[in-house]
Amino acid sequence: MAASIRVLWDHSQLWGLLACRGLAAVGADFSPVTCREVAEGALSRDAPRLLVVPGGFARLKHEALGHDGARAVRDYVSGGGGYFGICGGAGLALSHADGLRLCSWTRRTFADRLEHLVSGHVRLRLDPDSALCPPSAPEDLSVPVWWPAGFAPPLGGVDPDVMVAATYVGPGPDLMLADVALGAMDAARLAACRERFGLRLPPAFLDGGACVLSGRFGQGRYVLSHAHLETPDSPGANAWFGHILGLLTREDRLGRAVPAWDPETEPARFDDPHLAAARRALARAVGSGLDARLLFRRNAWLLGWRPGMPGFSLSSLAGMLAGAAALPPNGAAREYWRQAGPEFAARLEGFVDRLLTFFPAQRLEITLSLVNGSKCPATDLAAERQELFGSPPGGGGLCGELAALLDGLLLRLFS
């Protein structure tokens, strides 16, 4: 029997892992499905009750679906299916060039790039009349967002079929703007920064912008959330995650908590030498970035980073490695890794060796340029960063190729 929830797998990486981890924690019946399988009719052959689309880049997901896959998702929802999009998965459902046009709203245009660099907990005001919101939830709820985009209503005016279930009220205590601990700053000091120096730090969308939408598309329905309700150890968000899943799948026995996640302390159930060696090597590279003060620890599973540094790419790679090691292997995963594991381990060693030089060089370049204006040729570090991580905001280059190999392993481990 097909799972009642399918998780659209492609181009989610760490967010796909966290979505599956959250689904498992609340006791949901789920399995991943690839964009290629969707294009080949997977949603029509054994229609699930719900399609969950995790975070990641909407453009890449749309490209992977292609024309046939996009039409298949639209047909599935129109025919009565459910769609739960989280962050990038929410953006995929909107009406724009890289969207599925399930929802008439579109992406908000940011006036300032800095507004997109928001992460941590925010405070939301929930609509008390929305069935989407748990009756027990406080009206002012704290939930995590991780570098969200934004929602904007259609140019023709508000669509009455789209309901705003939650709006932003303001920052939570751990909210960061790039590498600035905005949520921890005293409000009076922030006001002084604005008045004396003209610095306007708080993002405009935190004052009343939409965070969670819901609506109908044909006979089906969608829920689109820029809040990552599946984030480990965020009780209010996790309770809402379970509530939404129960509502969309008509399953009232789902749990309401996603436990804390410390990748370093989880026991290895896939005891593989290539995975173990890769985790040790990557830890050395991360340590080099920490020593250079270009990276810092946000929590057990997520790095923070100085603007321009590849902190999330490394967090994603490390999290995927730990997630794969913590899952019990099956035959398909063992066979795949028998072929891919040696290549992965060899390429990762080379990747780490380059990072052990890249981070000190980057630190020296920053310091020397500030002290006496001298720097190594900008093209050299830029070219190295491009080869290792691709174009900003990252996810490509050698790191992206390594993540793609891990992605194939996790897909089989969750299947």
Side-chain angles (χ1 to χ4, degrees):
M1 180 180 297
S4 62
I5 297 175
R6 303 303 300 271
V7 179
L8 192 64
W9 187 253
D10 303 59
H11 299 291
S12 295
Q13 298 190 0
L14 180 64
W15 303 126
L17 172 62
L18 289 180
C20 289
R21 188 178 180 278
L23 289 167
V26 302
D29 173 33
F30 74 94
S31 67
V33 62
T34 66
C35 288
R36 179 177 179 178
E37 289 169 335
V38 168
E40 293 173 349
L43 297 180
S44 60
R45 285 193 300 272
D46 293 298
R49 293 183 178 180
L50 178 63
L51 179 67
V52 171
V53 186
F57 293 110
R59 175 182 59 82
L60 297 178
K61 296 175 187 290
H62 192 263
E63 288 176 0
L65 282 168
H67 178 268
D68 290 344
R71 183 177 60 186
V73 175
R74 286 172 55 85
D75 288 347
Y76 159 74
V77 181
S78 178
Y83 182 105
F84 185 10
I86 303 169
C87 203
L92 179 64
L94 300 176
S95 293
H96 53 83
D98 301 317
L100 297 172
R101 301 182 184 274
L102 301 179
C103 175
S104 62
W105 285 44
T106 188
R107 293 185 292 203
R108 180 178 181 273
T109 300
F110 286 112
D112 186 336
R113 171 65 180 161
L114 196 62
E115 292 190 9
H116 191 50
L117 302 183
V118 171
S119 62
H121 281 75
V122 295
R123 293 181 295 111
L124 299 183
R125 178 168 291 113
L126 276 57
D127 178 0
D129 297 325
S130 173
L132 199 65
C133 302
S136 59
E139 186 175 321
D140 190 345
L141 181 67
S142 178
V143 301
V145 295
W146 303 111
W147 309 282
F151 294 124
L155 293 177
V158 176
D159 184 344
D161 294 328
V162 181
M163 306 301 294
V164 179
T167 55
Y168 293 102
V169 175
D174 67 342
L175 191 78
M176 298 196 71
L177 189 65
D179 59 343
V180 176
L182 182 64
M185 293 180 73
D186 180 81
R189 293 298 176 195
L190 275 176
C193 289
R194 289 194 295 269
E195 292 167 10
R196 291 189 60 189
F197 305 111
L199 298 172
R200 301 189 61 82
L201 288 178
F205 71 83
L206 286 184
D207 184 17
C211 181
V212 180
L213 304 176
S214 67
R216 292 273 177 186
F217 182 74
Q219 299 301 309
R221 66 185 303 185
Y222 57 80
V223 174
L224 311 179
S225 173
H226 279 308
H228 277 269
L229 304 179
E230 80 286 11
T231 297
D233 196 27
S234 184
N238 301 160
W240 198 7
F241 182 62
H243 176 80
I244 290 173
L245 292 170
L247 195 68
L248 295 177
T249 61
R250 303 179 295 280
E251 171 60 72
D252 60 3
R253 296 189 301 275
L254 293 179
R256 298 288 187 269
V258 180
W261 184 38
D262 185 347
E264 293 303 313
T265 62
E266 279 200 317
R269 301 171 75 184
F270 190 174
D271 190 11
D272 174 79
H274 298 306
L275 289 175
R279 294 179 70 185
R280 290 193 297 269
L282 192 60
R284 294 200 307 273
V286 169
S288 177
L290 294 170
D291 291 342
R293 301 188 303 283
L294 300 172
L295 307 176
F296 58 94
R297 285 285 178 193
R298 288 289 298 274
N299 56 45
W301 56 270
L302 181 64
L303 293 165
W305 57 91
R306 183 175 177 136
M309 291 299 100
F312 183 73
S313 296
L314 292 176
S315 288
S316 187
L317 199 61
M320 293 168 74
L321 270 169
L327 291 167
N330 53 43
R334 287 189 184 280
E335 179 58 31
Y336 170 82
W337 200 240
R338 190 174 295 115
Q339 302 295 322
E343 176 193 354
F344 176 87
R347 297 182 70 184
L348 186 125
E349 282 289 346
F351 174 72
V352 166
D353 284 344
R354 293 171 69 174
L355 283 177
L356 293 177
T357 301
F358 171 80
F359 281 127
Q362 185 72 73
R363 177 75 261 171
L364 285 168
E365 191 273 340
I366 291 170
T367 300
L368 292 174
S369 67
L370 290 173
V371 172
N372 58 19
S374 65
K375 57 175 70 177
C376 65
T379 53
D380 291 354
L381 273 173
E384 182 72 349
R385 186 164 51 245
Q386 177 79 19
E387 286 186 23
L388 291 174
F389 298 100
S391 301
L398 180 53
C399 185
E401 294 169 8
L402 290 166
L405 290 171
L406 278 179
D407 208 50
L409 177 60
L410 285 166
L411 171 65
R412 288 160 177 82
L413 288 168
F414 278 119
S415 293

